[in-house]
Amino acid sequence: HAANSKKGEVLLYYCYCEVKDPGKLCDWQKALCQHLHLTGKVRVASEGINGTVGGSKIATNLYIETMLSQPLFKHTLCREDFKSSAGGAHCFPDLRVGVFKEIVPMGIDPKIVSYKETGIHLSPQEFHREVEQYLSQASQGQGDTILLDCRNFYESKIGHFQGCLAPDIRKFSYFPSYVDENLELFKDKRVLMYCTGGIRCERGSAYLRSKAVCREVYQLKGGIHKYLEDFPDGFYRGKLFVFDDRYAICSNEDVISACRYCGTLWDQYKLCSSQHCRQLVLTCPNCCNKGLTACCPVCQEKDLQVTSGASGESVKEECECTRQRQRVPIEHVSQKTLNTGK
């Protein structure tokens, strides 16, 4: 175990609570992370805190201890709320701690749709049973339930629950519009929602509930992260996308996505090779070796023209494949498409 303690880890957590002085909490948090040599991202707001940090096992452990003894979180945060995975400080380029309006960017004022109006939390065991029931009903062509992935398309692409509905959205801030445009779909349904660590469901379920069309809204407590600890070979197949330099963590051997160029099974993301582009691309080693390393033909072309010809600064711009992406897809979901467990 000694060798193991040298290995670091990455923590993921959030806590909704009333923060009177976000600026003060932000300064304290920054000092704490610097003191423990942690890297990562922490968002502070008047509605709480949301963070993912990496460092040595000793440091992450001290971090948890300190967070649990902080009077602000004492009654709301518990050890269970910290999800951990193998990693370390090297998983993030730096430390970023800031004050924001929301601890997860949904783009809706927390005063209007509050985390306090959230759906019913299900433990991984309860969620597992619900999904099992949902899949068996769906296979008989019946059912009044929707299993909803409220992450982004590039996350669900490499791993998701069998039989889920995964919106083709690029940012969580598009989720409310997605709900608005597809209200018919949710009418009188029981909705089982899930995301990476549970935080997007807190506000997402509150938003869905505010529309008053669903029969019930449930969410997976602790997200896919906690589910995989209990059911590494359960109904979630493929990798779990994470927002750091690892891109994905793995709990089963399934590969459910394909190389963008040749279609061979592949699920390891790289950043598009074109300097101005921030898209992620699935391109297998074979295609990489052929120089196919960009997210779309336009970027591949630009890459070849080498962007240094300009002023030398990198420009962040949307490329062809982003522009073509419909911002909010309208679902034409027959019960059939849900059944196939696409």
Side-chain angles (χ1 to χ4, degrees):
H1 193 77
N4 202 21
S5 66
K6 277 202 180 68
K7 282 202 182 80
E9 63 181 355
V10 170
L11 298 177
L12 175 69
Y13 73 93
Y14 67 88
C15 178
Y16 276 105
C17 59
E18 283 176 40
V19 179
K20 296 269 188 289
D21 189 344
K24 193 174 159 193
L25 178 62
C26 178
D27 294 341
W28 173 77
Q29 187 59 221
K30 199 176 285 176
L32 174 63
C33 291
Q34 284 168 345
H35 177 68
L36 295 171
H37 303 290
L38 297 175
T39 58
K41 294 172 277 198
V42 182
R43 290 175 72 98
V44 175
S46 53
E47 61 169 2
I49 187 168
N50 171 20
T52 176
V53 294
S56 72
K57 276 264 168 71
I58 292 169
T60 51
N61 227 347
L62 276 167
Y63 183 79
I64 294 175
E65 293 300 324
T66 313
M67 291 295 284
L68 294 178
S69 62
Q70 152 71 260
L72 258 178
F73 312 128
K74 220 169 181 164
H75 303 297
T76 33
L77 206 53
C78 63
R79 195 166 265 280
E80 250 35 302
D81 294 322
F82 290 86
K83 299 110 202 165
S84 67
S85 52
H90 62 273
C91 296
F92 301 92
D94 51 19
L95 172 68
R96 289 178 195 185
V97 186
V99 175
F100 297 84
K101 194 166 186 172
E102 307 170 277
I103 57 172
V104 69
M106 189 167 79
I108 304 268
D109 191 319
K111 289 188 190 75
I112 297 170
V113 174
S114 162
Y115 67 90
K116 292 172 184 168
E117 305 299 319
T118 175
I120 298 162
H121 293 71
L122 299 178
S123 69
Q125 289 75 13
E126 292 167 327
F127 197 82
H128 186 77
R129 281 201 298 275
E130 281 287 346
V131 173
E132 191 165 34
Q133 203 176 348
Y134 159 74
L135 289 171
S136 79
Q137 283 179 344
S139 67
Q140 291 153 34
Q142 62 199 69
D144 52 358
T145 304
I146 290 178
L147 178 55
L148 180 65
D149 189 322
C150 61
R151 300 172 301 157
N152 305 323
F153 77 90
Y154 53 85
E155 298 174 80
S156 55
K157 194 185 216 163
I158 61 166
H160 54 239
F161 275 96
Q162 288 164 266
C164 75
L165 171 62
D168 193 12
I169 56 176
R170 196 166 57 88
K171 290 181 179 155
F172 185 54
S173 54
Y174 297 171
F175 181 76
S177 321
Y178 174 81
V179 168
D180 295 350
E181 299 285 333
N182 292 286
L183 275 182
E184 256 321 288
L185 179 69
F186 295 109
K187 229 186 174 121
D188 301 324
K189 291 281 195 290
R190 297 171 73 244
V191 179
L192 299 170
M193 279 174 98
Y194 68 89
C195 61
T196 310
I199 187 169
R200 282 180 273 186
C201 287
E202 300 281 12
R203 295 284 309 288
S205 66
Y207 188 81
L208 191 51
R209 287 191 61 209
S210 74
K211 297 289 153 185
V213 293
C214 303
R215 219 171 70 213
E216 289 153 326
V217 181
Y218 298 96
Q219 69 197 71
L220 172 57
K221 185 169 163 42
I224 302 159
H225 226 298
K226 282 289 184 196
Y227 177 86
L228 289 176
E229 285 177 20
D230 292 341
F231 302 100
D233 277 306
F235 298 117
Y236 185 90
R237 307 311 301 175
K239 308 274 187 297
L240 172 58
F241 185 94
V242 287
F243 289 90
D244 59 56
D245 293 350
R246 298 171 299 173
Y247 291 134
I249 46 187
C250 161
S251 79
N252 56 55
E253 294 307 305
D254 286 10
V255 178
I256 65 165
S257 50
C259 168
R260 186 211 190 293
Y261 291 99
C262 69
T264 171
L265 284 175
W266 188 248
D267 64 3
Q268 290 170 40
Y269 277 121
K270 276 190 169 58
L271 270 179
C272 172
S273 56
S274 181
Q275 279 175 353
H276 60 271
C277 182
R278 305 294 299 156
Q279 304 292 316
L280 290 168
V281 58
L282 291 170
T283 170
C284 72
N286 222 347
C287 291
C288 268
N289 292 339
K290 293 181 189 158
L292 298 168
T293 50
C295 68
C296 69
V298 171
C299 273
Q300 196 69 45
E301 271 305 298
K302 278 190 183 158
D303 209 20
L304 297 175
Q305 292 162 11
V306 183
T307 22
S308 61
S311 58
E313 66 201 57
S314 70
V315 207
K316 188 178 175 188
E317 62 172 66
E318 296 201 334
C319 78
E320 166 194 68
C321 56
T322 308
R323 269 205 309 274
Q324 284 176 352
R325 175 166 296 284
Q326 200 182 342
R327 187 174 154 162
V328 176
I330 313 293
E331 302 289 0
H332 302 288
V333 179
S334 60
Q335 199 51 40
K336 229 184 172 95
T337 46
L338 290 174
N339 298 348
T340 53
K342 61 165 189 194

